[in-house]
Structure formats: structure tokens, C-alpha cells
Amino acid sequence: MAVATEERVLTGQQFMNGDVACAEGALAAGCSFFAGYPITPSTEIAERLARRLPAVGGRYVQMEDELASMAAILGASWAGAKSMTATSGPGFSLMMENIGLGMMTEVPCVVVNVQRGGPSTGLPTLVSQADVMQAKWGSHGDYEPIAYSPASPQEMFDLTVKAFNAAERYRLPVFVLGDEVVGHMTERVTIPPAAEIDIVDRKRPSAPPDDGWLPYAPDDDLIPPMACAGEGYGFHITGLTHDERGYPTGDPLVHDRLVRRLSRKIQVHANEICEVEKLHTDDAEVVVIAYGATSRAARHAVLAARERGIRAGLLRLITLWPFPRGVVKELGNTARRFVVAELNLGQIAREAERYTRLPISLVNHAGGMMLPPEVILRAIMEAEA
Amino acid sequence: MSGEIVVNAHPLDDLLRADRLPHIWCPGCGLGPIMACMANAMADSAIPIDKHVVVSGIGCTGRVAGYLKVDSFHTTHGRPIPFATGLKLAKPELQVTVFSGDGDLFAIGGNHLIHAARRNVDINVICVNNFNYGMTGGQAGPTTPMGARTSTTPYGNVDPSFNLPRLAATLGAVYVARWTSLHVRQLEKSIRRAIKKEGFTFIEVLSPCPVGFGKSNNLGEGLDEMELYRTNCVVYPEADLSQADIELKHDSTIIVGDFVDIERPVYGAGGGEE
Ligand SMILES: Cc1ncc(C[n+]2csc(CCOP(=O)(O)OP(=O)(O)O)c2C)c(N)n1
Ligand code: SF4
Ligand SMILES: [Mg+2]
């Protein structure tokens, strides 16, 4: 491939928007292949990578649509590349088909969705957080996704790196669920020296190619090592239900075992995947659950409530999937109420309900604007009253 | 019938996943000989077998990927071309061939085909045209001749059909050929040429699907349709491709041959970004 003429990692203090930070995070994580189709508010990711990838020896390709983009990054991943695409709601919908193929055939790659208002074309240029459940359930069949929710340009960088690492570690397409506000907001982003960035590479077969190699025989961690095309393993990969040889089968027992493993390989590692940030939750009577851009307003609201003597706290979700259920359960033992603040009609509120008996009040908006801190503060005060 | 084993090994054993046989295809289906041509062409190519990759979509033809003993991918319906594009661009040393059906490549996947041809991505596309959706039980598709009876055109197909070589040539494919499952020598040679050729190549292979199409369209069993190919095909490489439509009737000719062999800059090779 091309010769590198620029630094892959832009170490230092940068001032950039969240989309650009995401692109830089991808490069820092070792991404060498991007396939995409332009869509607001994610386009700046593609534009940045169109310039930067060729300059660091990688490849940018603009596909004819998002069906193709998703298919292309799966193919690139099987060629051994760390690959990604970036989109927003309408494109995310089109990607669902091959996200399913990626889940079924266990392909490491990263899909960034900078959320805008939906359904359909919705609000192309304005914020929402309404694709949370689509990220969980969007493709048919059962699977367990990983989705990160960045709340700043810095996290667009950091969590994109983590998304690549999780994709490689657990072998699946991993989602970065940004939103328009975080994608377009410009802030300081600190990029560490390359040597200080944790990089995970997929597990490789421990033995050289031979006839007995089983591409879908999992190790104890439930994850099968991955060979890449052209290495001599002569594997067959199919989106049909397959056995450990990778061969299709209609056996319901094999199907059940496979689909359960695809979910369990994430569930058994939920503790190492799940991330939250807690602010003043130890003694909190009212805990606000928020994520992404909304968590920034929620933080102000919680601090304002504290100033008024209200024992409020913030639980900021950094991973949405797997849902950090353990923390919600624990806080349910010490708090008296939850307030969920989000830019949709209650997607995470509904998920939280599964893990607590405490009353949950929902403060939300369908999208198109941020929730002002005062609105969240009012919800805290009402909850506390 | 009592079977006596005459030989224990098949000449293509090294290239087929013998542990997956018997295959799922119907008696009289044209896919077997076409796959054998692909296997022979790969074996004869100058490229090591480890570097060959076969990518299929979904359908009876899509199952080819699963029987060939090379790194092979059975992807989603219509998407083998963009999948192959990702593979090839991320690892240019791979020799990537897409092997799929007419419905897969020209209905649900038509958009991908036209754009891959436009870009001139260095992949080979082999399209087995059996004039219908075989896998799902014989429905009409974009190559079904007008008037043909299928399970979804009980009164005769009213949709005009694509002329695949003409379409591929118009899109800029650097090599375009059409053969049938009867023309195994010519087909194998064409696949070898496609493998050698840099850029987007396209080979259409007409193939009997007696179960989904032949019997309901007066074409009889697989062998009868092969006989029709034998009597009605005209090898005519210089043909004006606008004349290469297929009616698939007993009194109509079918033009076959190597139609196009041109040079165009290959996608990603020496472009501005290299
Ligand atoms: C998205 C999607 N739609 C529909 C199908 C059902 N389906 C499977 S194969 C097929 C048609 C295959 O026709 P063709 O590509 O001509 O292959 P053939 O079976 O004739 O070789 C269809 C419609 C599917 N698998 N996926
Ligand atoms: S349905 Fe048609 S294409 Fe499919 S295996 Fe049978 S004969 Fe072949
Ligand atoms: Mg067909």
C-alpha cells in the first residue's frame, strides 16, 4: 500500500471537533481502511479520513451506499485491516443487514453513528439520541452489541480507540454512538504519544495452517482466534448458521449453541467492557442517569441541585451496551429515585426500569435541541419533593 | 442401482471441500460443471491457490463459495461485490473472484455491480444466469425473458430483461464474456483470462435450472437445455452486443464469446493517493 507521509498519531494538544477527533482516534487505534457514504452530521469523519488515511499508508474508499460501506469494511477486516465506517441514522438503518453478517461471522470493525433526529430523514443537522435501541436490536436475530457513548470531542477520540480495541478483542462490529452536538462541538483534545495508547490486536490462530483447523472453535473466553484471507488456512465463512468448521448446518442444537455463544462472549466480559462515570452518587437520593451530549447538561443540573442542598448525583453511561445494569442495581439500594435525561422518548429509561424498583422520572425531548440544565434541575427537584 | 467405486480420488479433490459433499444442487443443474471450470482455472493460474479468494452472495450459485477449498465467503444477498472490494483494496495481493447468481448481482446487488465496474476494481465477477431465482423456488428476476412462466409470473413475465454482457461492457468492464455450462473449455479459458487481467472483469454463464425454470418454460430437463445451447449458440466475439439479448426459445440464437478486452486504469493502482 501507499507510503506514509504524515504522522499516524497527532500527539499533543489539539483543538478539534468531535468528528475529527473520532477520525484521529481511529488512526491512533491502527485503522487502515475506511469505507463510507457521506451523511450529516458524520461527514467530517469521512472527510478527515479521506485526507489522512492515504497519508499514513491506509485506504479511504467512498462507496455507493451504506449497504456497500458495511460490506466493504467486513471484507477489509477479513483481509487483516482494522476497518471502520461512519454514518448517521438513515445510513445506520442500511448498515443493519451487514452488521448482522458481522455479528454472525464475528468480524472486528467499528461503526460510528453520529445521531441526528429520526425517524427517517428526520432532522439532518440536529441532535438526538434516538438510535440507542436500534443499536441494540437493529439487525434481525439475537446478538449482544457493544456501544460507546462519547460526551466530548476528547471522548470521541478515546472511545473510538476503545471501540477498535473491543472489536479486536471480542470479534464483532462495535458501535460508537455519538450525537450531532458532540460530533460538531470543538474543544481541546489531548492526544497521547503513540507508545502510551493501548492497542489490542485480534487473537490469531496459534498453529500454522493445516487441514484440521477450526475457524469457529472458541477458546475458554468464548472467542475463536481469527485467521485472515490469503494466509493459507482455506477457511469458509458464511452468514448461515455454522458449526466450528464454519460449515453451514440446519441443526437447531448447533444454532442454539452458536447464537448463545455470540451473546455470552459479550455477557461474560460485561464487567471489563462496561464503563460509567459517577458524580456524587455515594450519598445521592436522586440519581440522574444521562449519556452523550445530554450528560453535560445533567452534570450542571446535578451541581446546581447540590448547591441548593439537594443530594443529587449523576450516573453517566459511557457504555450503553452492554447496559451497565450492575451499577443501576447498586444505586437502587442507596438512592430513592432516578431521573433519566435523554433525547428520545425513553429508550434508556425503559432499560433502566428492568434493573430497579425505584421510581424513574423521564426528562426528555425527541431531539432537535439539547435539554437545558434547568429542565433537568427541575426534574431533580420534583423527584426530590 | 449398485455402485462400484472405480476411482477413489477426483482430480479436483484438492480444490473441493470433499467433506461437504454431496452438494445441495438438483440433478440437471448447470452449477457443477461451472464450478469445476472455476476450480481448474484457479489451479492453472500462476497465482498460488492460497491467494485465491472466492466471494458469493446468496442463492444456489452463492453456494459455490462453500464447496471450493480456498478462503471463501458466503456473504449477504447482493453484497458480494462490495465485500470483495474491501478484501481486495485492503490486501491487493489477493486474487478475488465473485461468484454469484443473476438475481444476486443484477437485482438486489445491481447498484454495487455498476459502481465496481465504474471504479474498475481489480476483481473478477462470474455471474451464473439461470434466468430465475433458483434458490427460492423459481421466481422471475431481472434476467427472466419476457413472456416466461415462473412462480411469480403465472401469466407470463411482463418485465423486459437485462442483456448482461451489454450492460457490463457499457459500464466499462475491461473483459466481458458469455458462455454456457456446455462450453466448459471456453469458459475455463475465459476464467483464466479474467484472473490474469487487471481490473473489473465480467463473465456471464448461462446455466440450466430445470427445477426452477426449464420445465415450466418448455426447455425440459437440464440435458435438454444443454442441447438447446449446443444447437442455438453462436460464437460471435465481434457481435454488436445490442443484438445479444436472450429469448431462450427453440428458434432463437444465443450469442456467446469473448466480447470485450480493453485497458483502463485500475482502481487504486497508481492513483493520486498512492
Ligand atoms: C435480503 C434478502 N432478500 C431475499 C432473500 C431470499 N433469496 C435468497 S436467494 C434469492 C434469489 C437468488 O437468485 P439468484 O441470485 O439468481 O441465484 P440462483 O439461486 O438462481 O443461483 C432470494 C431472493 C435473501 N436471502 N435476502
Ligand atoms: S433450483 Fe435450479 S439453480 Fe438451484 S440447484 Fe436446483 S437446478 Fe440448480
Ligand atoms: Mg438465478
Side-chain angles (χ1 to χ4, degrees):
Chain A
M1 258 194 203
V3 186
T5 54
E6 282 182 17
E7 291 294 327
R8 175 174 272 282
V9 182
L10 295 188
T11 303
Q13 303 286 332
Q14 309 287 348
F15 191 59
M16 48 178 55
N17 77 25
D19 282 355
V20 171
C22 169
E24 291 301 330
L27 293 169
C31 173
S32 63
F33 187 94
F34 179 97
Y37 188 85
I39 184 167
T40 308
S42 74
T43 307
E44 293 88 339
I45 300 173
E47 289 172 342
R48 179 76 168 194
L49 288 172
R51 187 175 76 67
R52 287 272 287 143
L53 265 175
V56 302
R59 166 91 60 189
Y60 168 93
V61 48
Q62 189 158 316
M63 300 302 290
E64 51 276 16
D65 58 31
E66 291 87 347
L67 305 163
S69 306
M70 192 63 215
I73 70 167
L74 297 182
S77 183
W78 279 111
K82 290 189 180 178
S83 63
M84 83 179 287
T85 186
T87 188
S88 191
F92 201 43
S93 292
L94 290 187
M95 287 175 187
M96 285 304 155
E97 172 192 61
N98 286 306
I99 283 171
L101 179 64
M103 294 295 176
M104 189 64 154
T105 54
E106 304 181 66
V107 191
C109 58
V110 171
V111 179
V112 182
N113 174 0
V114 186
Q115 295 167 92
R116 63 191 225 180
S120 191
T121 315
L123 297 169
T125 61
L126 298 175
V127 67
S128 101
Q129 298 179 308
D131 304 346
V132 171
M133 281 298 171
Q134 185 186 24
K136 174 68 188 79
W137 302 107
S139 198
H140 54 284
D142 278 307
Y143 56 93
E144 199 74 49
I146 297 176
Y148 291 96
S149 174
S152 62
Q154 181 69 53
E155 278 197 340
M156 283 292 268
F157 179 92
D158 296 338
L159 296 181
T160 301
V161 175
K162 282 196 176 162
F164 272 97
N165 288 345
E168 295 282 320
R169 166 85 179 84
Y170 306 108
R171 276 193 70 174
L172 78 170
V174 170
F175 305 136
V176 177
L177 273 191
D179 56 61
E180 186 276 333
V181 165
V182 166
H184 282 163
M185 157 193 301
T186 297
E187 278 186 344
R188 184 164 67 181
V189 174
T190 304
I191 299 183
E196 288 171 23
I197 299 173
D198 253 345
I199 301 290
V200 177
D201 292 320
R202 63 193 68 170
K203 246 186 336 187
R204 312 276 292 138
S206 49
D210 73 52
D211 263 1
W213 189 64
L214 297 171
Y216 285 103
D219 292 339
D220 288 345
D221 63 1
L222 302 182
I223 299 152
M226 183 170 172
C228 295
E231 293 175 343
Y233 286 88
F235 52 69
H236 179 58
I237 305 300
T238 176
L240 288 165
T241 292
H242 44 269
D243 59 21
E244 294 192 342
R245 295 172 299 176
Y247 290 177
T249 167
D251 183 341
L253 293 176
V254 177
H255 179 71
D256 187 75
R257 200 184 316 139
L258 171 62
V259 175
R260 280 182 201 277
R261 180 176 64 74
L262 295 181
S263 279
R264 288 209 345 112
K265 73 173 179 179
I266 304 303
Q267 288 158 356
V268 300
H269 296 105
N271 283 344
E272 57 191 66
I273 301 167
C274 282
E275 276 189 57
V276 297
E277 180 199 345
K278 293 182 194 164
L279 174 70
H280 299 316
T281 50
D282 284 351
D283 66 341
E285 294 188 335
V286 183
V287 172
V288 180
I289 301 177
Y291 53 95
T294 311
S295 68
R296 300 169 71 105
R299 182 184 310 272
H300 284 284
V302 164
L303 294 176
R306 283 271 162 183
E307 274 171 22
R308 288 163 201 234
I310 301 170
R311 295 210 314 224
L314 171 67
L315 175 65
R316 180 168 77 90
L317 308 181
I318 297 173
T319 48
L320 299 178
W321 308 115
F323 185 74
R325 60 176 78 171
V327 203
V328 173
K329 278 186 189 162
E330 272 166 32
L331 290 172
N333 296 329
T334 54
R336 291 200 298 118
R337 287 191 91 91
F338 285 108
V339 169
V340 176
E342 55 186 338
L343 291 177
N344 58 52
L345 299 193
Q347 299 186 16
I348 283 293
R350 180 195 287 217
E351 187 66 15
E353 276 171 8
R354 302 176 63 206
Y355 305 108
T356 182
R357 296 229 169 106
L358 294 187
I360 296 181
S361 36
L362 173 63
V363 49
N364 67 337
H365 190 279
M369 60 175 223
M370 288 284 286
L371 285 174
E374 306 77 58
V375 174
I376 302 174
L377 176 62
R378 205 179 313 131
I380 295 172
M381 287 163 53
E382 280 164 13
E384 204 257 352
Chain B
M1 249 174 38
S2 76
E4 189 193 334
I5 295 176
V6 185
V7 283
N8 282 315
H10 185 277
L12 289 176
D13 269 356
D14 284 350
L15 291 160
L16 296 181
R17 295 180 194 278
D19 53 347
R20 289 214 53 214
L21 300 174
H23 56 64
I24 64 161
W25 297 320
C26 312
C29 179
L31 279 163
I34 302 171
M35 180 170 77
C37 291
M38 175 69 191
N40 282 324
M42 284 194 301
D44 289 353
S45 74
I47 294 149
I49 208 73
D50 285 354
K51 300 296 171 196
H52 280 276
V53 180
V54 174
V55 185
S56 286
I58 303 295
C60 296
T61 313
R63 294 303 185 103
V64 163
Y67 297 126
L68 288 172
K69 202 166 162 186
V70 292
D71 289 335
S72 59
F73 298 90
H74 180 230
T75 62
T76 40
H77 194 25
R79 318 299 168 218
I81 289 180
F83 189 101
T85 299
L87 263 171
K88 177 69 188 179
L89 295 181
K91 197 167 187 178
E93 78 207 55
L94 298 177
Q95 175 64 41
V96 182
T97 301
V98 169
F99 210 112
S100 220
D102 49 295
D104 189 85
L105 293 169
F106 285 90
I108 192 166
N111 197 35
H112 308 309
L113 185 131
I114 69 179
H115 288 281
R118 169 180 64 83
R119 291 184 193 108
N120 201 21
V121 186
D122 186 15
I123 59 174
N124 311 308
V125 175
I126 298 174
C127 174
V128 176
N129 178 5
N130 52 18
F131 308 99
N132 80 114
Y133 293 157
M135 172 63 87
T136 39
Q139 296 81 29
T143 57
T144 306
M146 278 184 93
R149 308 260 161 184
T150 70
S151 66
T152 50
T153 54
Y155 307 109
N157 179 30
V158 294
D159 287 27
S161 57
F162 274 144
N163 166 339
L164 304 185
R166 184 188 186 194
L167 181 54
T170 313
L171 298 171
V174 292
Y175 174 74
V176 179
R178 173 196 277 162
W179 299 107
T180 77
S181 54
L182 181 81
H183 295 84
V184 287
R185 287 221 184 84
Q186 295 93 327
L187 174 60
E188 198 184 304
K189 202 167 145 212
S190 265
I191 300 176
R192 280 205 304 266
R193 275 177 76 173
I195 288 172
K196 249 198 185 147
K197 182 95 186 165
E198 293 198 347
F200 184 91
T201 69
F202 179 77
I203 302 173
E204 176 186 24
V205 193
L206 309 184
S207 174
C209 171
V211 176
F213 192 80
K215 288 183 193 161
S216 50
N217 285 286
N218 197 25
L219 299 169
E221 295 291 345
L223 265 184
D224 302 322
E225 191 168 332
M226 297 277 263
E227 176 61 19
L228 178 120
Y229 295 160
R230 197 182 66 77
T231 51
N232 294 26
C233 282
V234 178
V235 181
Y236 186 15
E238 302 80 21
D240 170 359
L241 286 176
S242 69
Q243 305 300 307
D245 286 354
I246 299 173
E247 286 177 31
L248 210 61
K249 299 223 170 83
H250 289 282
D251 56 357
S252 61
T253 54
I254 299 172
I255 293 175
V256 295
D258 295 289
F259 302 120
V260 174
D261 191 345
I262 58 168
E263 302 298 327
R264 272 178 69 210
V266 173
Y267 185 86
E273 65 200 41
E274 296 286 299

